[in-house]
Structures are given as C-alpha cells and as structure tokens.
Amino acid sequence: MAFIDTLDPEQASAEVQAMYERQRRHFGFLPNYARVFSHRPEVMVSWAGLLASIRRHVEPRRFELVTLAAAAALGNSYCALAHGRALAELADATTVQAIAEAREATSLSAAERAMVAFARRVARDAASVTQADIDRLRAHGLTDAEIFDIVAVAAARAFFTKVLDGLGAEPDAAFAAMAPDLRRALTPGRPIAAAVESAPEP
C-alpha cells in the first residue's frame, strides 16, 4: 500500500482521525493516499486549500482535462485513474483513453487540444515552455489569467503525484472495477492495489 508505515485510525491522533473521517465521508471509504499523509495531516489540509483556490477559477471539464493530461505525463496511476474516471462523466471514455495515451483526442475542441498539449509540457518539462506556447493558447482565445490557471493545475498535480509515488501509494482497489482497456490506459505507473477483503467498499 505504501513504503512507509502509516497510522491506522485506531492508533491515530484526533487530527489524523478527523482527516480520515473527511476522506471517508467524501469517498465512502478511506483512500490509500490519505494514509500517507497520516504523519503530517496539516500538509493534507494545506494541499486541500491550495487545490480549492485553484479549482475555484476553472470550470470542471477544463480542470479534469488538464489534470488528467498532467497526471498521465507524470506517470502517476493514482491521479490518472481518479481524474480519468471523473472526466469520463464529462466527456467520454474514448476521449479519456486518447488523452491518457498521449494521442490526439479528436472529440475535443482545438482550444482543448492545445490546453492538453500545453499541460503535458508543463508537467514534463516546464522549463521548455516558450513564448510561442503561450501565444498559441492566446490564439485560441484563452486569457492570461486562464493560462495561469492551466499552469497552476498542472504544477499542483506535480506536487501531489510526487508525494504519492515517492511514498509508494498504490491506487485504491476500487479502480479495478473500471473497463479493462480504460483502466490499463490510466495506469501508467504504479499498479492498482490488491483488494483487501475487510476494506469498506466505495
């Protein structure tokens, strides 16, 4: 589940138990990623605040497009699975699979395709971004504030994915229920955790 020992709810402090309970209320079970924050629950609180401040300015479809593109480019299965599943509800599975496999998603608008490509570049090598990349987004009608938002979404995802992968957090067993082809496309890194019989179902 992770490379470090994490705290079980019954062993955790009140602060960690509260963090676990928030996650349970949201997902219906305790996700593996929450456990790796059990030694520093205040970091999870800070992450949630940062993410909320970024998401406030980005409509859901754009947020999921950019997040999936960044997560897949970073090779993180956990976020690719979570946000691929979310995007499939706003687009379709074929589009999600194309983005995950770094293929052109023809169902997207030209502006969306440009955003996805830009998000991949920011995630993989932000220092390679040039003025031409920004101008290309402007040509599709994006404002400088919207371009900032795309960079912020991709950059924030880099933080979260590297915490999870650096500590060996495996995607939750619940993701195994996804359609096989889509699940494989959304698992560029660590494999999905094996099901634990006693774990609560989502």
Side-chain angles (χ1 to χ4, degrees):
M1 185 180 297
F3 298 147
I4 61 173
D5 293 331
T6 59
L7 302 178
D8 290 330
E10 58 273 14
Q11 301 170 326
S13 67
E15 185 180 10
V16 173
Q17 288 180 1
M19 185 261 286
Y20 282 172
E21 184 55 31
R22 287 193 297 272
Q23 298 294 317
R24 278 203 186 94
R25 283 199 303 268
H26 184 76
F27 293 102
F29 66 104
L30 180 61
N32 292 338
Y33 77 77
R35 290 179 175 272
V36 302
F37 284 89
S38 62
H39 296 286
R40 298 289 183 263
E42 70 275 15
V43 177
M44 173 64 86
V45 173
S46 295
W47 161 249
L50 173 64
L51 190 61
S53 70
I54 293 170
R55 292 190 71 154
R56 187 174 301 123
H57 304 285
V58 186
E59 59 95 11
R61 178 183 168 98
R62 180 176 295 184
F63 177 82
E64 298 301 345
L65 284 168
V66 172
T67 300
L68 173 58
L74 289 160
N76 179 264
S77 299
Y78 213 138
C79 291
L81 286 159
H83 292 277
R85 185 170 62 183
L87 181 59
E89 297 178 2
L90 301 171
D92 58 80
T94 300
T95 297
V96 170
Q97 189 166 340
I99 295 170
E101 295 173 346
R103 294 184 286 106
E104 185 172 19
T106 55
S107 63
L108 299 180
S109 68
E112 288 176 329
R113 290 196 298 273
M115 285 187 283
V116 165
F118 181 67
R120 288 192 188 109
R121 173 166 287 195
V122 172
R124 287 177 180 152
D125 183 9
S128 72
V129 172
T130 67
Q131 184 66 56
D133 295 309
I134 303 302
D135 291 342
R136 193 172 299 115
L137 293 175
R138 286 171 172 165
H140 285 290
L142 275 75
T143 66
D144 284 3
E146 290 173 316
I147 294 169
F148 173 90
D149 293 337
I150 293 169
V151 172
V153 170
R157 192 54 44 181
F159 161 75
F160 195 63
T161 60
K162 290 180 186 298
V163 170
L164 300 190
D165 279 335
L167 295 173
E170 294 177 331
D172 302 301
F175 290 117
M178 296 177 72
D181 287 346
L182 184 59
R183 185 182 68 237
R184 282 190 291 271
L186 293 170
T187 314
R190 298 196 185 283
I192 295 171
V196 178
E197 194 170 327
S198 60
E201 292 295 324

